Amino acid sequence: MTASERPHVSAAMTELDHPALYRLMTWLSPAFPVGGFAYSSGIEWAVEAGDVDDAASLRGWLSTMLTDGSGFCDAVFLVHAHRAMELGDIDRLREVAELAAAFVPSRERQLETTAQGRAFIEIARSAWNSPGLDDAVSQCEAMVYPVAVGVVGAAHGIQSSLLLHAYLHAVTSNWISAGSRLIPLGQTDSQRVLAALEPVVTATAVRAISASLDDIGSATFRADLASLRHETQYTRLFRS
Amino acid sequence: MLHALRQAKAQATATVAARVGIGGPVGSGKTALIEALIPVLQRRGVDFAVVTNDLVTKEDAERLRRSGLIDPDRVSAVEAGACPHTVIREDPTLNIAAGDELEARFPGVELILFESGGDNLASTFSLDLVDWWIFVIDVAGGDDIPRKRGPGLLRCDLLVVNKIDLAPHVGVDLDRMLADARQVRGGKPVIATNLKAGTGVEAVADAISAAVLFRI
């Protein structure tokens, strides 16, 4: 973080009222019951194939997924879903939700993101009162996970950039959790990978916050193929 | 207690299936119990389906599907390898979705059995997921298991002690093991089974019927 960014971030934090902070922490905690522990985004195949076999290769793999893969794309979808919800533009929201669903590269990644999206909305709706959420949800056919987070966050008045940084960091953390169980890594190495990826998370979020839907694209062929190959992996701990 | 989702669905469709969990350590006989229950429940006219939580493969689901005992479409597999505890307790999202999906496909279904992935004595079921649950241990696991008072064994609605035929071969005093189990459970039910021979299966089916199907 540069010195010039600091005042901006601290100002943003004071704008966030305390209940909103609690919700952000809760919703993006690994303990939030959306089934996140059951998905590896194809990392299980990458480990099986030998592409990922230690902390350094996991860091490299995830850095690419963040910068050039589903990390960046999903970040942009979150921002645009949040914006549409904030403006009450349901037609726009429906378009974003459809495009986000269409961008998922494999059947199991589709299961991963739609099941988590559905669970996220259901549990958030059951435990917290979210004005306008029911209407928005009923207008969209399916909401993938980042769209669900964007929509629910907007319904609760949580600032887009904070929501996005928290989301990307949580997704990265979940990937590392999968990698650490599969490789396996010790807990210290896992935290080192997370620490090393902080600048990548930040850069991806900063790029996504001002990106248009036309900027979306990915170039993570091996990760996409891994998520396809995983469908036929016999012995597996994860659903994707 | 029923999950909020299912309450909403119950209002919409008027019927909702009872959900029964079957947990216990690896190899104690959870799948064998389901295989033994299938013909008994069918004979009693119970409309049911099964969700298996396989650890690292789809072996359990495939075993049931290929058994010829049940319509393979009525067996749904949830892969729970990453966290067999979590998927039935802290975060049963995947299992709730599998149950909802079976209910949607088989509208008359009145009972769904959830077989957990093989776990240890600490595993328990979330009451968001199931209405009532069974824990299966076996005599070959050792007669000290009841005395260890694991949460699974203490909290379950029905404890099944399986493989009673093996007791003399593994140096277990069966009567004492069952007495210990009843004592630590404060009188909650314990049923001894030999699932290979079918011993005790009717009693388990009776317990399920009385507890969640309201049939005696």
Side-chain angles (χ1 to χ4, degrees):
Chain A
M1 189 188 296
T2 65
S4 64
E5 277 174 309
R6 254 187 214 115
H8 169 72
V9 170
S10 58
M13 285 302 288
T14 57
E15 284 165 22
L16 190 75
D17 64 357
H18 293 140
L21 175 63
Y22 307 151
R23 286 167 205 173
L24 189 58
M25 288 162 64
T26 303
W27 295 339
L28 295 167
S29 148
F32 196 60
V34 296
F37 62 89
Y39 305 99
S40 87
S41 298
I43 294 165
E44 183 159 33
W45 177 263
V47 173
E48 174 93 356
D51 289 335
V52 171
D53 60 1
D54 60 9
S57 52
L58 179 65
R59 191 182 64 223
W61 186 270
L62 298 186
S63 178
T64 308
M65 277 176 70
L66 275 168
T67 309
D68 301 315
S70 60
F72 173 71
C73 298
D74 284 353
V76 178
F77 289 128
L78 183 152
V79 171
H80 283 263
H82 184 280
R83 192 169 301 154
M85 183 71 185
E86 229 174 19
L87 297 170
D89 188 344
I90 299 294
D91 289 339
R92 180 71 178 155
L93 176 62
R94 200 185 301 119
E95 281 172 31
V96 174
E98 274 176 20
L99 185 63
F103 252 78
V104 179
S106 70
R107 188 177 63 83
E108 289 189 344
R109 283 275 293 117
Q110 199 249 355
L111 172 73
E112 170 180 333
T113 191
T114 52
Q116 287 189 96
R118 202 179 304 121
F120 187 87
I121 285 170
E122 276 312 317
I123 194 83
R125 192 157 56 169
S126 303
W128 288 269
N129 179 29
S130 325
L133 188 58
D134 288 349
D135 186 42
V137 171
S138 67
Q139 301 283 327
C140 294
E141 214 166 279
M143 283 193 187
V144 297
Y145 185 38
V147 171
V149 173
V151 166
V152 172
H156 285 263
I158 295 175
Q159 204 192 48
S160 172
S161 78
L162 287 173
L163 188 67
L164 176 60
H165 281 274
Y167 168 82
L168 271 184
H169 189 266
V171 166
T172 306
S173 188
N174 200 51
W175 287 338
I176 293 172
S177 168
S180 73
R181 276 177 273 171
L182 292 163
I183 294 171
L185 290 183
Q187 74 273 26
T188 311
D189 265 346
S190 299
Q191 296 309 312
R192 285 187 185 122
V193 174
L194 187 58
L197 287 171
E198 276 179 9
V200 187
V201 171
T202 307
T204 306
V206 167
R207 198 155 53 92
I209 202 91
S210 56
S212 80
L213 289 178
D214 291 336
D215 294 325
I216 288 175
S218 79
T220 49
F221 303 106
R222 229 174 152 78
D224 294 347
L225 286 170
S227 79
L228 291 164
R229 298 294 290 270
H230 186 266
E231 290 172 21
T232 54
Q233 189 169 335
Y234 185 70
T235 297
R236 40 191 249 165
L237 295 178
F238 294 89
R239 302 180 99 192
S240 70
Chain B
M1 191 203 294
L2 295 175
H3 185 267
L5 255 179
R6 287 192 286 135
Q7 282 175 339
K9 185 169 286 178
Q11 283 157 7
T13 62
T15 61
V16 71
R19 301 191 177 195
V20 167
I22 300 178
V26 175
S28 59
K30 296 178 296 299
T31 309
L33 177 61
I34 291 173
E35 284 171 332
L37 279 171
I38 287 171
V40 175
L41 293 172
Q42 284 170 340
R43 202 174 58 240
R44 296 181 182 201
V46 177
D47 189 338
F48 66 98
V50 182
V51 176
T52 66
N53 283 206
D54 280 320
L55 279 184
V56 289
T57 64
K58 290 185 178 171
E59 295 262 352
D60 287 350
E62 288 305 320
R63 176 171 155 189
L64 289 174
R65 286 181 183 136
R66 289 186 191 135
S67 66
L69 296 167
I70 183 170
D71 173 1
D73 289 342
R74 285 180 176 257
V75 180
S76 176
V78 167
E79 290 163 298
C83 298
H85 274 165
T86 312
V87 80
I88 61 165
R89 194 175 56 198
E90 289 88 348
D91 184 355
T93 310
L94 312 180
N95 276 310
I96 291 172
D100 290 347
E101 198 262 330
L102 282 168
E103 274 182 28
R105 269 199 290 139
F106 300 101
V109 71
E110 54 189 320
L111 172 68
I112 301 177
L113 300 173
F114 289 83
E115 180 192 352
S116 87
D119 211 318
N120 60 34
L121 303 178
S123 69
T124 55
F125 276 88
S126 160
L127 294 184
D128 271 7
L129 174 63
V130 299
D131 303 300
W132 192 84
W133 58 285
I134 301 171
F135 198 72
V136 183
I137 60 170
D138 70 286
V139 299
D143 58 0
D144 53 348
I145 288 183
R147 291 199 297 277
K148 291 178 180 166
R149 302 170 54 93
L153 184 139
L154 291 185
R155 305 269 170 243
C156 65
D157 296 293
L158 170 66
L159 178 68
V160 168
V161 180
N162 187 30
K163 306 186 192 174
I164 53 171
D165 54 313
L166 295 182
H169 307 292
V170 292
V172 164
D173 179 342
L174 180 63
D175 291 338
R176 184 165 164 210
M177 185 175 177
L178 293 173
D180 283 349
R182 292 198 169 92
Q183 196 244 321
V184 300
R185 283 173 54 70
K188 280 196 287 183
V190 177
I191 294 176
T193 61
N194 168 5
L195 294 170
K196 279 240 182 307
T199 313
V201 179
E202 293 285 345
V204 175
D206 288 346
I208 294 172
S209 298
V212 298
L213 300 176
F214 311 111
R215 300 177 188 178
I216 310 290

